[in-house]
Amino acid sequence: MITVHHLNNSRSQRILWLLEELGLDYQIVRYERSKQTMLAPAALRQIHPLGKSPVISDGDQTLAESGAIIQYLVNKYGNGRFLGTDSTKYLYWMHFAEGSAMGPLLLSLIFRKVQSSTPFFIKPVVTSIVKQVNAILIAPNLKANFQYIEDELSKSEWFAGDEFSAADIQMSFPLEAGAARVYECMGPKSLAYLQKIHERPAYQRALERGGEYSML
């Protein structure tokens, strides 16, 4: 049986969703983030050296990285399903999700946390630096990425064509992060898309199995 080493409020929620879409049996081993650092517990290093989630075990195979896990599961158990109708777009969006979309979102989160946790006596200097980095680097990339996503969702119902695919599962995380952290960058097509995936029965079953899920 497939085992999902599931960290709360993490990318591993995507793996539970895919497993529900595939209709596979699986078990969950749960891990909780530190309330102080929000990092994964050291116990995850016993499963994978980097100690991050998601990680799955399938027989004698242990695999990390959500994109790799998704492709592995679809290739092994999908029977030709969840590949979309445009193979080039499928490949592109599978890699865009973490390769381009998540970088500016993570930077935005990090700099916000730095600014909020800075001692008051150096806060003006740090705030000035954060504003400059945001204006020069982070905000323009966020705006460009989410406008690009909006434009692409205006061309087809799903990211890889006219059928729901694993690329949609992979892209769900940056879209949900965008809606939670930089809502002003989100367009109506992107927000409608999020509503549509949230209404999928498999998505809802994954939430029931995985527990409370929110962006950090």
Side-chain angles (χ1 to χ4, degrees):
M1 180 181 289
I2 297 167
T3 299
V4 181
H5 298 276
H6 177 55
L7 180 66
N8 64 309
N9 297 332
S10 78
R11 290 162 169 80
S12 61
Q13 187 64 37
R14 285 187 293 197
I15 308 306
L16 303 183
W17 177 19
L18 175 59
L19 288 166
E20 291 292 340
E21 294 281 1
L22 289 167
L24 298 176
D25 291 330
Y26 63 95
Q27 60 184 359
I28 299 174
V29 178
R30 300 178 187 276
Y31 302 82
E32 294 291 322
R33 293 180 182 274
S34 165
K35 292 182 179 179
Q36 287 72 41
T37 67
M38 301 310 297
L39 297 176
L44 261 174
R45 292 196 188 94
Q46 299 175 17
I47 310 302
H48 189 275
L50 294 181
K52 296 180 180 180
S53 180
V55 179
I56 67 164
S57 300
D58 184 19
D60 60 356
Q61 299 288 328
T62 297
L63 188 62
E65 293 293 340
S66 53
I69 293 169
I70 287 172
Q71 288 189 270
Y72 168 83
L73 291 172
V74 169
N75 290 343
K76 185 171 182 179
Y77 299 107
N79 297 317
R81 297 175 296 160
F82 305 115
L83 296 173
T85 57
D86 187 320
S87 59
T88 302
K89 284 188 174 182
Y90 174 84
L91 178 65
Y92 177 80
W93 291 108
M94 283 293 295
H95 290 273
F96 176 90
E98 296 293 340
S100 293
M102 282 307 300
L105 284 163
L106 286 171
L107 284 174
S108 176
L109 175 65
I110 290 167
F111 275 91
R112 285 184 186 182
K113 286 187 175 294
V114 167
Q115 186 176 8
S116 65
S117 61
T118 299
F120 75 93
F121 54 90
I122 61 168
K123 196 154 193 149
V125 175
V126 172
T127 298
S128 176
I129 294 171
V130 168
K131 285 183 177 179
Q132 290 183 56
V133 173
N134 185 66
I136 295 170
L137 176 65
I138 299 174
N141 277 284
L142 286 171
K143 183 178 180 180
N145 282 348
F146 281 103
Q147 184 59 58
Y148 177 54
I149 290 170
E150 182 74 7
D151 292 343
E152 289 299 306
L153 288 175
S154 299
K155 298 175 184 177
S156 61
E157 184 177 3
W158 303 102
F159 278 105
D162 297 325
E163 293 180 3
F164 174 82
S165 76
D168 295 291
I169 294 176
Q170 180 74 337
M171 279 297 297
S172 66
F173 193 82
L175 280 168
E176 289 177 326
R181 300 172 191 165
V182 288
Y183 186 86
E184 67 279 3
C185 293
M186 303 285 287
K189 292 285 185 182
S190 300
L191 293 172
Y193 175 88
L194 276 177
Q195 181 65 32
K196 183 168 59 176
I197 64 173
H198 290 165
E199 291 172 352
R200 290 183 71 85
Y203 185 97
Q204 296 175 16
R205 291 196 301 271
L207 286 180
E208 292 173 4
R209 290 286 304 270
E212 185 178 352
Y213 172 58
S214 62
M215 287 292 157
L216 300 176

